Amino acid sequence: MRPVITTEKLTKRFGDFIAANELTFDVNQGEIFGFLGANGAGKTTAMRMLCGLLAPSSGKATIAGFDIYGQTKEIKTKIGYMSQKFSLYDDLTISENIRFYAGIYGMNIKQIKTKTRELLEGLQLQREAKTLVRELPLGWKQKLAFLVSIVHGPDIVFLDEPTGGVDPVTRRQFWDLIYSAADKGVTIFVTTHYMDEAEYCNRVSIMVDGVIAALDSPVNLKQQYAVTNMEDVFYELARNAKRKD
């Protein structure tokens, strides 16, 4: 498999504090890669570096073949990003949000019209196209935000706790969308605090105190720690963490 994310000793310091320390890993094309860790473990810092939103202090990384130091503009054309806290504009309609983000990603008018129609049909929201996003249930907002993040056909999409606050049924539906995107070759880099969702990933990295404490498939990690679920794996690794929320 072809790596589309490669890091070597990627590090971020804030003064004397090392938020992410010498992270080294690869993520392959079409892989669903889970990036786990408690609050303060360093996972958001790492994701922001990979997205080109935060300059590393040292180390190396390439995203879709582009260097994170000198080619951040090129990287941003190859990735999608869905933030937990801010992904859609509540005071715009569903169709306006789609058109707005498609325009930001550089799509032309014809492409935007086609994609808007496809997304509305796929979500069965044709009749609600002029509905303000603020009026949608949270689950629908999250699903729409994900599809908007990949509207331009990126190689990689970064998802920062995308299912936070939604019910279990909606979370499962959201993961169906993730699987569908991965089947089309999109690489999924996802952070989550739901350990059952770690089971859905091809491989999982678990950060503790700014370093990668474990990286393997869920099956192998459970075997390694002689437990039956990922929550117990996480507990074994994170119980002695020095950093607190």
Side-chain angles (χ1 to χ4, degrees):
M1 292 184 288
R2 179 174 65 90
V4 292
I5 299 174
T6 300
T7 76
E8 181 181 345
K9 295 185 177 181
L10 192 65
T11 300
K12 181 61 182 179
R13 298 181 181 87
F14 296 97
D16 294 332
F17 178 70
I18 304 177
N21 191 14
E22 297 192 348
L23 308 182
T24 299
F25 61 90
D26 293 335
V27 181
N28 296 312
Q29 181 179 7
E31 185 174 24
I32 301 175
F33 188 82
F35 205 62
L36 312 182
N39 291 339
K43 62 183 187 298
T44 298
T45 297
M47 178 180 281
R48 288 175 62 82
M49 286 192 288
L50 297 175
C51 290
L53 300 174
L54 187 64
S57 301
S58 61
K60 302 176 182 178
T62 59
I63 310 297
F66 297 106
D67 181 75
I68 61 171
Y69 289 98
Q71 297 178 298
T72 55
K73 289 184 179 179
E74 290 85 352
I75 287 172
K76 290 174 183 177
T77 67
K78 296 294 184 179
I79 67 172
Y81 177 70
M82 178 180 167
S83 168
Q84 178 189 16
K85 296 181 179 179
F86 175 81
S87 292
L88 299 171
Y89 287 95
D90 281 345
D91 55 350
L92 295 181
T93 67
I94 295 172
S95 59
E96 286 171 343
N97 266 281
I98 297 171
R99 292 198 301 268
F100 175 75
Y101 280 101
I104 286 179
Y105 286 129
M107 299 177 69
N108 61 43
I109 294 176
K110 183 178 180 180
Q111 291 172 325
I112 291 172
K113 287 183 178 179
T114 299
K115 276 294 182 180
T116 300
R117 184 180 66 253
E118 288 177 355
L119 290 188
L120 291 173
E121 290 176 353
L123 289 171
Q124 297 182 342
L125 290 175
Q126 299 97 314
R127 294 183 179 180
E128 291 81 11
K130 295 183 179 180
T131 300
L132 292 176
V133 163
R134 72 162 65 98
E135 298 175 10
L136 291 177
L138 178 59
W140 280 105
K141 284 185 181 180
Q142 298 296 75
K143 287 185 281 189
L144 177 61
F146 172 69
L147 292 175
V148 166
S149 73
I150 60 172
V151 68
H152 57 305
D155 294 339
I156 307 159
V157 61
F158 292 90
L159 308 176
D160 191 5
E161 298 192 2
T163 57
V166 301
D167 62 86
V169 173
T170 303
R171 283 204 286 130
R172 183 65 238 191
Q173 293 171 346
F174 189 95
W175 275 89
D176 287 340
L177 295 176
I178 289 178
Y179 286 142
S180 178
D183 286 343
K184 296 174 183 175
V186 179
T187 301
I188 311 294
F189 189 102
V190 56
T191 69
T192 179
H193 62 268
Y194 295 113
M195 290 302 107
D196 61 315
E197 292 187 345
E199 305 274 1
Y200 306 155
C201 300
N202 301 121
R203 286 189 301 148
V204 170
S205 167
I206 300 178
M207 287 192 69
V208 178
D209 291 340
V211 301
I212 294 177
L215 198 169
D216 210 330
S217 68
V219 170
N220 288 345
L221 287 173
K222 287 184 290 186
Q223 289 177 348
Q224 179 180 344
Y225 290 93
V227 295
T228 59
N229 57 70
M230 285 302 297
E231 186 171 352
D232 288 339
V233 172
F234 183 80
Y235 175 75
E236 288 294 323
L237 289 165
R239 62 180 176 174
N240 295 320
K242 297 178 181 178
R243 296 183 189 177
K244 303 300 179 182
D245 292 2

